[in-house]
Amino acid sequence: MTLSARHITKKFAGVTALDGVCLDLQAGKVNAIIGENGAGKSTLMKILSGVYTDYEGSILLHNREVRFNHTKDAEQQGIVIIHQELNLIPYLSISENIFLGKEIRNKWGLLDSQQMQRKTTELLAKLRLSLDPTMLVKDLKVGQQQLIEIAKALLVEAQVIIMDEPTSAITGAEVAVLFEIIADLKAEGKAIAYISHKLDELFQIADTFTVLRDGKSIESGSMQGITKDQIVSKMVGRALVTFPKKALPETPQVLLAVRNLGIHLPAARAKDSVQNISFNLHKGEVLGIFGLMGAGRTEMFEALFGLAPRKISGEVYIEGKRLHIHSPADAVKAGLALVSEDRKKDGILPELSVKQNICITTLPQLSQNGLLSSSKEEALVQQYIQELRIKTHSSAQLIKNLSGGNQQKAIIAKWLATKPKILLLDEPTRGIDINAKTEIYKLINQLAEQGLGIIMVSSELPEIFAVSDRVLVLSDGRLTGDFPISQASEESLLKAAIS
Amino acid sequence: MTISLTKEKLYKLQSLIALLVLCTAISLLSDKFLTLANGWNVLRQISVNICISVGMTLIVLTAGIDLSVGSVLALAGAVAAGLLKNGIALEGLNLFVGFTLLGALLAGLLVGGLLGWLNGWVVTQCKVPPFVATLAMLTMARGFTMLWTKGFPISNLGANFDYLGTGWLLGVPVPVWISAWVVGIAWLLTSKTPLGRYIYAIGGNESAARLSGINIHRAKRIVYTIGGVLAALGGLMVTARLDSAQPNAGTGYELDAIAAVVIGGTSLSGGRGSIWGTVLGAIIIGVLNNGLVLLNVSPFWQQVVKGLVILLAVMIDRMNAKND
């Protein structure tokens, strides 16, 4: 066994991300790490590669226990991770990137560029790349950049290489090249951990698999003799939370109508991220939007919310009135609210209190003679803390100290305060523990009953089934499916998502 | 919870404690320090820096910076002095416009507001980083000052104008009154108005603030405009104090203002800090300057000490942030 992780447990601010996970990586084998979003794959990989140093459990490398204090430690012991987001410096050359932090010096202590470039050429040859080592990384294609990351791993003679969604940004031909190189690495006896959502790929290149679900390792085994369906059932094999579907009115009232929505990217990019999307959202309806990463779901929300006004074509009607939304401020005025995907980056105001976060959208209503009224603010916040059961010591607590689920509730509260007609939820339960998830689902259901129209983007099928009345499927920027929930199955949605 | 609260309080009191220690130390070494006359003296000396630093605090809270305040101060002072003394002759129209004292003062403030608004416009509409936009304004406003004054001081402005810088009202120097009002209004703005909350929100997480429907560009333009007006107000006070608008007035004042902001615990990356912190920061700098003079420390050493104090303040701040 090259690398063995034993009973790894990791908690973030009270939320258990990993719960006694075990994982074995063998030399000369590709081990697929499979799991839904939030199953704990990335957290596990970050522990193995020394990004997170604070965890319970042990890691054995060649049967010897190791503990890394830093990614550099892990690297020196021969473990290298290739992140989904590539860590290259665009304005440095290929060779400068590969040797970053490991520069070769000549006898005067100056950089020995020639030797580094010679070595780079050797490494590139191994990866079947014939590129000039002095080329700037920004001028390479994404697939080539990925290979440069692998070259970095080869330079330190890594024994264990972790690849996080390596094919998420590359196309068919580049994928084939990557797979050939992975086969070479296998033949050299490297142990490879391969994370991917794309099950077909795993059957092509993986030898063994480990399924993670809700932070636990569910099962490990050989890819031989297992079917896709069996893996899927292990991934999702949890009791589905569902809610009795309320009957929509006979003649539902159209709240939002989107016609031929398109988002046009600068000419340099090959295709538009969203093309010709049309749909209706009714009062009291929860519309689920399913699709793989990069299908254009988030982009569609950004277009509706006025985040990229110049590149958009098509028409948007709210209650029959055509609207031109040029900024989030316009969108809020029109009765839209957006709970964005990345809570930390786009959601919370970390240095402000729960109260200040919830009130931020309605400050003018909470003031008298231009001055904020603390009693009005407090009344609003207490109302939502109770209604949404936000767990906080007080309204004055900094929001960054709440758990993910409670942060999310506070963000939903800040939008409910604006009395929106339409609520856009982008991956509303990402990074939230299972109990808080259920509470958020209940809340979504309640809000719909109160007459809000809700659109929820999610890449978790159980979540789609838990709350949606209707499901739209996006694939590659196009609308490829529109199912009432009663006629949708996991298979039909997945099929539409990869078509 | 209780522990974090006391820690938070201590953290807020940190600058105050530093100030008290500083005052005690100086008063032990010099018997001239703890006198009423010296107290007013220190406060009058720092009142210009307080005005500028309050504006700077608002800008820094949005994660911006304004390097142009020193030049804006000079231009506003020179415009007010020039208009009061010489008026404007519009030769093409065969027209001469004279200015009353109030008119000249308002024109000075208007110039500051306009340049501040321009800073904000360039930052928000043209996406130029604040450091660069206001660096350009620093140079341009100084150039305009030289053009307006032709490089010579404009002096002898009359007792009424000079009252702004040298007068007393109810036993308190006029500049101290002015800076106290500025501090009070700015405190109200930051802690009790929607705009104040937006300022903290923008500096803390600009993307989340924008997605909350806040018009962040408008908020930033207002903040830079206020910064310009306060710099101009400082310019009027400096001019009145000297009874003369100097073309090179205010050189390097932006650095004193940034120092006050930073010593006061406002984070240069925005979103965290307060007006009171900045006031304390400005007082600490003022007391330090005054004490070093009273103790006959050479001006060269004074600069070294000031630099060390800035460094120390930020190092303590960083250590606190790490322990959080």
Side-chain angles (χ1 to χ4, degrees):
Chain A
M1 208 58 64
T2 303
L3 182 94
S4 177
R6 295 271 139 253
H7 308 291
I8 306 280
T9 296
K10 169 82 187 164
K11 295 186 174 114
F12 292 103
V15 179
T16 306
L18 292 179
D19 185 3
V21 167
C22 297
L23 173 73
D24 290 319
L25 299 178
Q26 297 171 40
K29 294 263 164 74
V30 174
N31 187 70
I33 318 274
I34 309 170
E36 286 190 295
N37 288 334
K41 295 168 300 191
S42 297
T43 310
L44 179 60
M45 295 308 125
K46 282 180 177 162
I47 287 174
L48 292 184
S49 58
V51 177
Y52 297 144
T53 54
D54 174 28
Y55 58 88
E56 294 159 42
S58 56
I59 299 173
L60 303 176
L61 185 63
H62 304 300
N63 299 319
R64 203 164 47 80
E65 181 164 355
V66 286
R67 201 161 182 107
F68 308 126
N69 293 318
H70 198 268
T71 48
K72 200 115 196 176
D73 278 1
E75 205 175 281
Q76 272 161 4
Q77 307 260 11
I79 303 177
V80 172
I81 184 165
I82 298 169
H83 292 281
Q84 191 176 353
E85 319 277 324
L86 300 175
N87 286 320
L88 295 170
I89 303 184
Y91 287 91
L92 290 185
S93 73
I94 298 177
S95 127
E96 283 162 340
N97 265 286
I98 291 179
F99 280 90
L100 198 62
K102 308 170 196 72
E103 289 80 2
I104 302 175
R105 291 157 187 267
N106 62 19
K107 60 182 169 182
W108 307 107
L110 302 174
L111 294 176
D112 189 344
S113 306
Q114 278 186 347
Q115 204 188 332
M116 287 191 278
Q117 282 161 18
R118 200 164 49 242
K119 280 219 161 184
T120 300
T121 314
E122 282 170 30
L123 289 172
L124 294 181
K126 267 192 183 173
L127 300 172
R128 305 164 197 214
L129 280 176
S130 54
L131 292 171
D132 179 354
T134 61
M135 250 178 104
L136 297 188
V137 158
K138 75 174 176 69
D139 297 325
L140 300 181
K141 295 196 189 93
V142 181
Q144 293 173 326
Q145 292 185 0
Q146 198 120 41
L147 296 180
I148 302 302
E149 286 278 11
I150 296 178
K152 278 163 77 176
L154 295 180
L155 178 72
V156 298
E157 296 184 346
Q159 291 310 303
V160 178
I161 301 176
I162 301 168
M163 298 185 185
D164 192 358
E165 300 272 359
T167 57
S168 62
I170 60 179
T171 58
E174 288 172 314
V175 173
V177 173
L178 179 71
F179 284 3
E180 282 176 31
I181 284 160
I182 290 178
D184 290 353
L185 295 173
K186 252 169 74 170
E188 283 183 32
K190 314 274 189 210
I192 294 170
Y194 189 97
I195 302 176
S196 178
H197 277 114
K198 301 178 185 168
L199 288 182
D200 290 332
E201 269 177 12
L202 299 179
F203 280 94
Q204 277 182 53
I205 59 155
D207 304 295
T208 57
F209 71 88
T210 300
V211 174
L212 297 184
R213 188 171 78 218
D214 298 333
K216 297 192 180 75
S217 38
I218 298 302
E219 195 174 323
S220 297
S222 163
M223 290 297 281
Q224 298 268 298
I226 194 160
T227 66
K228 213 159 132 180
D229 287 349
Q230 283 168 317
I231 288 186
V232 169
S233 74
K234 291 182 210 309
M235 283 166 68
V236 299
R238 72 164 82 114
L240 283 186
V241 194
T242 48
F243 295 93
K245 292 286 167 246
K246 67 268 169 201
L248 286 173
E250 294 267 311
T251 48
Q253 186 189 337
V254 176
L255 202 53
L256 170 77
V258 174
R259 293 289 170 267
N260 303 318
L261 183 71
I263 304 176
H264 310 288
L265 293 174
R269 290 276 288 274
K271 58 180 193 293
D272 298 342
S273 57
V274 168
Q275 302 157 43
N276 259 336
I277 291 187
S278 302
F279 64 88
N280 288 337
L281 171 73
H282 302 96
K283 211 168 175 263
E285 183 179 47
V286 181
L287 185 59
I289 299 201
F290 180 72
L292 300 176
M293 252 181 227
R297 305 165 303 170
T298 297
E299 288 78 0
M300 188 182 89
F301 271 4
E302 286 175 355
L304 288 176
F305 210 64
L307 281 164
R310 281 192 206 133
K311 309 177 214 151
I312 291 169
S313 64
E315 294 150 32
V316 174
Y317 301 86
I318 291 182
E319 291 177 328
K321 216 165 63 195
R322 171 132 193 225
L323 289 177
H324 298 273
I325 293 173
H326 298 294
S327 70
D330 289 351
V332 174
K333 253 183 239 143
L336 286 163
L338 170 65
V339 175
S340 44
E341 179 181 13
D342 189 335
R343 192 163 49 242
K344 209 163 160 189
K345 185 168 143 277
D346 300 321
I348 62 168
L349 302 162
E351 299 292 339
L352 296 185
S353 67
V354 174
K355 172 158 105 177
Q356 290 167 327
N357 267 277
I358 292 179
C359 295
I360 195 76
T361 50
T362 49
L363 290 179
Q365 282 118 281
L366 298 171
S367 357
Q368 251 165 350
N369 308 322
L371 296 186
L372 292 171
S373 150
S374 340
S375 55
K376 279 189 189 177
E377 282 190 76
E378 194 60 36
L380 179 85
V381 173
Q382 289 306 334
Q383 178 200 335
Y384 284 115
I385 285 182
Q386 280 172 17
E387 269 181 32
L388 308 190
R389 285 195 292 269
I390 302 172
K391 285 195 203 84
T392 174
H393 293 299
S394 80
S395 62
Q397 191 173 14
L398 291 187
I399 196 165
K400 65 178 178 189
N401 296 331
L402 298 190
S403 72
N406 285 302
Q407 287 181 2
Q408 192 71 315
K409 286 184 190 172
I411 289 170
I412 294 176
K414 110 179 156 184
W415 286 120
L416 294 181
T418 67
K419 307 268 179 275
K421 295 174 191 143
I422 298 158
L423 187 57
L424 309 176
L425 302 169
D426 197 353
E427 303 281 3
T429 64
R430 170 160 296 176
I432 289 179
D433 69 50
I434 191 87
N435 292 326
K437 270 187 184 184
T438 313
E439 287 197 36
I440 301 240
Y441 297 156
K442 273 188 201 148
L443 180 63
I444 292 174
N445 224 38
Q446 275 170 21
L447 294 172
E449 272 167 18
Q450 290 162 20
L452 244 73
I454 297 175
I455 308 183
M456 181 189 72
V457 158
S458 178
S459 40
E460 297 182 31
L461 278 171
E463 181 160 296
I464 293 275
F465 281 99
V467 293
S468 314
D469 300 307
R470 196 154 63 90
V471 190
L472 301 182
V473 183
L474 291 185
S475 170
D476 226 3
R478 289 167 300 119
L479 196 60
T480 53
D482 183 345
F483 305 88
I485 199 71
S486 54
Q487 289 165 33
S489 65
E490 299 207 358
E491 287 73 31
S492 59
L493 294 188
L494 268 172
K495 223 165 139 189
I498 54 179
S499 68
Chain B
M1 185 64 195
T2 46
I3 294 168
S4 74
L5 256 183
T6 48
K7 219 172 108 190
E8 194 116 303
K9 270 185 192 152
L10 248 178
Y11 180 68
K12 276 185 181 154
L13 290 176
Q14 192 170 281
S15 328
L16 195 61
I17 295 167
L19 178 62
L20 290 178
V21 170
L22 191 64
C23 288
T24 317
I26 299 172
S27 62
L28 288 177
L29 294 170
S30 163
D31 53 3
K32 286 177 213 137
F33 178 72
L34 269 189
T35 60
L36 191 63
N38 190 49
W40 288 133
N41 187 25
V42 170
L43 286 178
R44 191 171 50 201
Q45 278 170 355
I46 63 172
S47 49
V48 172
N49 190 25
I50 285 192
C51 283
I52 301 176
S53 320
V54 162
M56 187 71 81
T57 307
L58 302 178
I59 293 170
V60 169
L61 279 173
T62 67
I65 196 144
D66 186 353
L67 299 179
S68 69
V69 284
S71 305
V72 171
L73 172 147
L75 182 58
V79 165
L83 290 179
L84 181 67
K85 217 163 170 219
N86 308 325
I88 315 180
L90 298 167
E91 275 156 29
L93 297 168
N94 206 8
L95 190 71
F96 174 83
V97 185
F99 278 78
T100 61
L101 178 60
L102 189 65
L105 295 180
L106 286 178
L109 295 178
L110 191 70
V111 165
L114 191 72
L115 296 187
W117 183 85
L118 266 173
N119 276 333
W121 185 82
V122 172
V123 167
T124 56
Q125 295 320 115
C126 313
K127 316 279 177 222
V128 176
F131 191 97
V132 179
T134 60
L135 181 64
M137 183 59 83
L138 173 148
T139 309
M140 286 191 293
R142 185 63 64 188
F144 283 126
T145 312
M146 294 297 172
L147 287 169
W148 176 261
T149 60
K150 303 190 177 67
F152 295 103
I154 304 172
S155 306
N156 300 323
L157 305 168
N160 286 338
F161 192 131
D162 295 351
Y163 181 72
L164 270 185
T166 56
W168 292 70
L169 180 68
L170 304 175
V172 175
V174 173
V176 177
W177 277 112
I178 295 176
S179 55
W181 274 100
V182 165
V183 168
I185 293 170
W187 170 78
L188 208 64
L189 174 78
T190 51
S191 59
K192 300 281 174 200
T193 69
L195 177 65
R197 192 71 58 78
Y198 296 160
I199 289 172
Y200 282 94
I202 291 169
N205 186 347
E206 182 164 329
S207 163
R210 185 164 76 114
L211 283 166
S212 298
I214 297 172
N215 190 336
I216 57 173
H217 288 174
R218 183 172 154 265
K220 282 190 185 177
R221 280 197 297 271
I222 294 176
V223 164
Y224 280 92
T225 307
I226 294 174
V229 170
L230 290 179
L233 185 61
L236 300 179
M237 282 152 62
V238 169
T239 307
R241 182 93 195 279
L242 301 173
D243 186 30
S244 168
Q246 302 281 336
N248 56 0
T251 309
Y253 278 25
E254 63 281 354
L255 300 180
D256 277 343
I258 294 169
V261 170
V262 166
I263 292 176
T266 297
S267 155
L268 279 182
S269 49
R272 209 157 49 86
S274 70
I275 296 294
W276 293 119
T278 298
V279 171
L280 277 175
I283 296 178
I284 288 175
I285 296 176
V287 166
L288 197 65
N289 280 339
N290 179 261
L292 293 172
V293 170
L294 289 180
L295 300 176
N296 286 322
V297 177
S298 106
F300 306 147
W301 276 111
Q302 287 180 25
Q303 298 195 22
V304 175
V305 173
K306 231 163 86 181
L308 283 173
V309 168
I310 296 171
L311 204 56
L312 197 69
V314 178
M315 272 159 52
I316 294 172
D317 202 45
R318 286 284 84 197
M319 270 168 354
N320 284 334
K322 226 184 194 171
N323 293 338
D324 265 0

